[in-house]
Amino acid sequence: MSRRPARRFADTGSIPFVGSFHPKSRPSPLLSLGLVVGALLIIGYVYHSSGGRSAADAFSRLEGGTSCTAELHRALPVLKKAYGDNMRKVLHVGPDTCSVVSKLLKEEDTEAWGIEPYDLDETDSNCKALVHKGIVRVADIKFSLPYRSKSFSLVIVSDAVDYLSPRYLNRTLPELARVAADGLVILSGYPGQQKVKGAELSKFGRPAKLRSSSWWIRFFIQTSLEENEPVTKKFEQAAAKRSYKPACQVFHLKPLL
């Protein structure tokens, strides 16, 4: 989910054959040009096949990693079926939130806001406009959110909780549930799943901690958060009809009373 793709290619050696050159050898200009063009074609193909959803999605697929924010784009139609009118006023929390908010705003009768928990760097003009209008904010979710209780019908969180320690999760999850009127949806990676790395440590401050569903369930109970079973069932039924299998864990929680 890094927004510095050129650096990530340099760091990981993703361009084919670059690492095979002898240190003292000097490749011909035509070969160097061919490698650059080939890399650009690969990026273009992955981005095009992703439907142009976001750069994070394209590079997630290229590197073989998993971005739950990219997965959320695929899950939105299923969530719409499960939550219906409760998706009228949505807050998304997570990296690349501008892409999610932009997609939600295209839906009829849907208002959307976003919180980017990490720095917004190298943003496009659309994201800058959303920030300028106050629709997207940069905020540290380890502290109180700048919203009143039940400000949103639904709060959707992707990727963000995988980078928080239990110490901060104890504060953050109840706070996310506080601003939700009808429900809280959490997308988290599966244990053993490869997360998109790149500038992970510099951007998020720590590597992702991917936890099992049983760990999350115990944690929800400890923090007095309850599973929203009726919505969970609707989501599973809608997913089955669409032959949709989430690449991330999806938890549906009730709001705080």
Side-chain angles (χ1 to χ4, degrees), residues 64-76:
T66 300
S67 162
C68 289
T69 298
E71 182 62 24
L72 175 57
H73 283 273
R74 297 178 57 228
L76 282 176

Side-chain angles (χ1 to χ4, degrees), residues 79 82-83 86 154 182 185 228-237 252-253:
L79 288 170
Y83 283 91
N86 289 340
L154 189 66
D182 297 311
V185 180
N228 193 332
E229 293 182 2
V231 172
T232 299
K233 187 174 182 179
K234 288 181 181 179
F235 181 84
E236 291 173 349
Q237 290 173 343
H252 305 270
L253 303 175

Side-chain angles (χ1 to χ4, degrees), residues 64-133:
T66 300
S67 162
C68 289
T69 298
E71 182 62 24
L72 175 57
H73 283 273
R74 297 178 57 228
L76 282 176
V78 184
L79 288 170
K80 184 72 175 177
K81 285 289 185 181
Y83 283 91
D85 293 339
N86 289 340
M87 282 191 71
R88 65 190 181 278
K89 196 172 182 180
V90 180
L91 173 68
H92 172 256
V93 180
D96 202 22
T97 190
C98 287
S99 68
V100 176
V101 170
S102 296
K103 187 166 185 174
L104 286 169
L105 289 174
K106 294 177 182 178
E107 296 288 332
E108 187 177 357
D109 299 326
T110 300
E111 299 177 75
W113 288 263
I115 289 183
E116 168 65 60
Y118 314 102
D119 291 337
L120 278 170
D121 50 354
E122 300 180 23
T123 56
D124 57 25
S125 58
N126 177 59
C127 190
K128 289 179 181 178
L130 292 173
V131 173
H132 181 72
K133 294 175 183 177

Side-chain angles (χ1 to χ4, degrees), residues 191-226:
Q193 204 171 43
Q194 179 184 347
K195 298 292 284 185
V196 180
K197 295 183 179 178
E200 185 181 76
L201 289 176
S202 62
K203 186 172 181 65
F204 304 117
R206 56 180 290 153
K209 178 69 173 179
L210 304 182
R211 303 163 172 110
S212 66
S213 60
S214 59
W215 187 95
W216 279 114
I217 291 170
R218 288 195 302 271
F219 187 83
F220 295 148
I221 293 172
Q222 291 170 6
T223 50
S224 300
L225 293 172
E226 296 181 39

